[in-house]
Amino acid sequence: MRLRPDRTPAPVRRLSTAAAGADTVYLVHPGALDAEVHRTLAAALPAGSGLTVLDLSALPEYWEAALTGGRAATTVEDLAGRLAAELLGARAEDARADGSPTGGSPTGGARPYTLAGWSFGGVVAQALVEQLPAGQRPRRLVLLDSIAPTDAYKPSDEELDPTLLLGWFALYLGAKRGTPVAPDPERLAGADVDRGLEAVLDAAVAAGALKAGTPVFGLRKLYDTYVDGLLRNNRLTTPYEAVPSSVPLVLVTAEGSLIPDDPTLGWEPLAPRGLTLHRSPGDHYTMLSRPDAAALIAQLVHAA
């Protein structure tokens, strides 16, 4: 992994490089899982295609907030502007490598491309698109289990249900450990964090995700960092007023989506150019590493 002098990852992560004349897909990644998780998608793309990740976790003003109580000294607009500049720079570099100094396609104009965004990365990706010059915007934006920045999904910190957060944390823990963690729903329902984490720990030990004897206070530390990351994203989204998308939106929800009861995840008001819905195997996290999910996503991001 290429590191900057301050030891943080570079924002532009080329997981595969496009062959001459082939397309590159660009994907906004918000962290939580390492950007390397998208190598499954890179392998599923047609031969010769490229995949470049725009990694939010490489921006200190974003990732450090998950370690300091979830309060970020930035905005969605500023994050989008930072990544928009990285995207334009990466596309210019790709065009030069392809022998086309202007990034032009054989028929003239900028080479068409697709932008994607997973989770909160979809929110930043949609803001990024609207900051780009019209001629540099993608042909479509593919949202991977991304919750829309609309009023219906801007809860206050107090409105975040601990039962919901504990269930999400179990999905995250399972993805990090490579095995599903499914705590007893009855033990999670109405439980406070400490009792809920005991249920998660028991399920993780039973699944082989954690060793027997793992102390619950160690899991609590991981849980607090995870929740601070969610709070950071929620607090960034709350004041943000998204404008309707100027490009068609494609939404891929996971079978185990964070919001299983809303197949649109709130994107309809922001999709005047169209919203196409698809369902992916896996949950919010494993949809990125499962080959069957990657095969579906590869078709959508590469469709002409």
Side-chain angles (χ1 to χ4, degrees):
M1 181 172 64
R2 182 166 57 96
L3 297 180
R4 289 182 164 187
D6 62 2
R7 307 305 295 170
T8 59
V12 176
R13 303 271 297 274
R14 286 182 171 82
L15 299 188
S16 59
T17 302
D23 288 344
T24 294
V25 175
Y26 301 87
L27 191 154
V28 179
H29 179 73
L33 302 177
D34 190 277
E36 291 290 307
V37 72
H38 296 292
R39 287 200 179 276
T40 308
L41 174 59
L45 290 169
S49 300
L51 177 62
T52 293
V53 174
L54 304 173
D55 193 354
L56 275 170
S57 66
L59 306 182
E61 63 270 32
Y62 177 76
W63 72 264
E64 287 177 356
L67 307 177
T68 56
R71 299 191 181 278
T74 187
T75 65
V76 170
E77 293 92 338
D78 286 347
L79 292 171
R82 288 284 305 276
L83 290 192
E86 297 285 354
L87 171 64
L88 292 176
R91 281 180 41 77
E93 185 176 331
D94 291 343
R96 288 192 294 271
D98 195 33
S100 176
T102 64
S105 67
T107 57
R111 181 186 295 281
Y113 70 102
T114 294
L115 182 68
W118 172 63
S119 194
F120 179 70
V123 174
V124 176
Q126 198 265 332
L128 182 165
V129 169
E130 303 312 315
Q131 292 190 24
L132 292 173
Q136 290 285 355
R137 291 174 184 168
R139 57 170 78 111
R140 73 181 68 77
L141 172 61
V142 178
L143 302 159
L144 304 178
D145 214 44
S146 178
I147 300 172
T150 49
D151 289 344
Y153 291 114
K154 293 183 178 182
S156 65
D157 290 358
E158 294 73 22
E159 292 173 318
L160 291 171
D161 180 9
T163 299
L164 186 67
L165 297 182
L166 285 161
W168 291 357
F169 175 67
L171 295 178
Y172 165 74
L173 180 62
K176 291 283 285 186
R177 304 299 296 181
T179 186
V181 174
D184 183 351
E186 292 186 2
R187 291 183 63 186
L188 289 187
D192 61 20
V193 172
D194 289 332
R195 288 190 295 120
L197 283 176
E198 290 175 359
V200 173
L201 178 57
D202 288 346
V205 170
L210 294 175
K211 294 180 179 179
T214 298
V216 72
F217 69 80
L219 194 61
R220 177 63 187 256
K221 185 176 182 180
L222 179 62
Y223 174 81
D224 287 343
T225 300
Y226 174 78
V227 170
D228 281 348
L230 295 179
L231 290 174
R232 170 200 59 198
N233 295 346
N234 190 59
R235 291 166 180 164
L236 284 167
T237 302
T238 297
Y240 172 57
E241 295 294 334
V243 299
S245 178
S246 60
V247 303
L249 301 181
V250 178
L251 174 64
V252 186
T253 56
E255 290 175 352
S257 175
L258 296 185
I259 308 292
D261 298 330
D262 183 357
T264 72
L265 296 183
W267 285 101
E268 281 185 316
L270 298 177
R273 299 290 304 276
L275 176 66
T276 306
L277 305 178
H278 296 270
R279 198 74 160 171
S280 163
D283 62 39
H284 180 71
Y285 299 99
T286 60
M287 70 184 297
L288 304 181
S289 57
R290 287 179 54 143
D292 53 355
L296 168 67
I297 295 168
Q299 291 178 358
L300 298 175
V301 297
H302 197 265

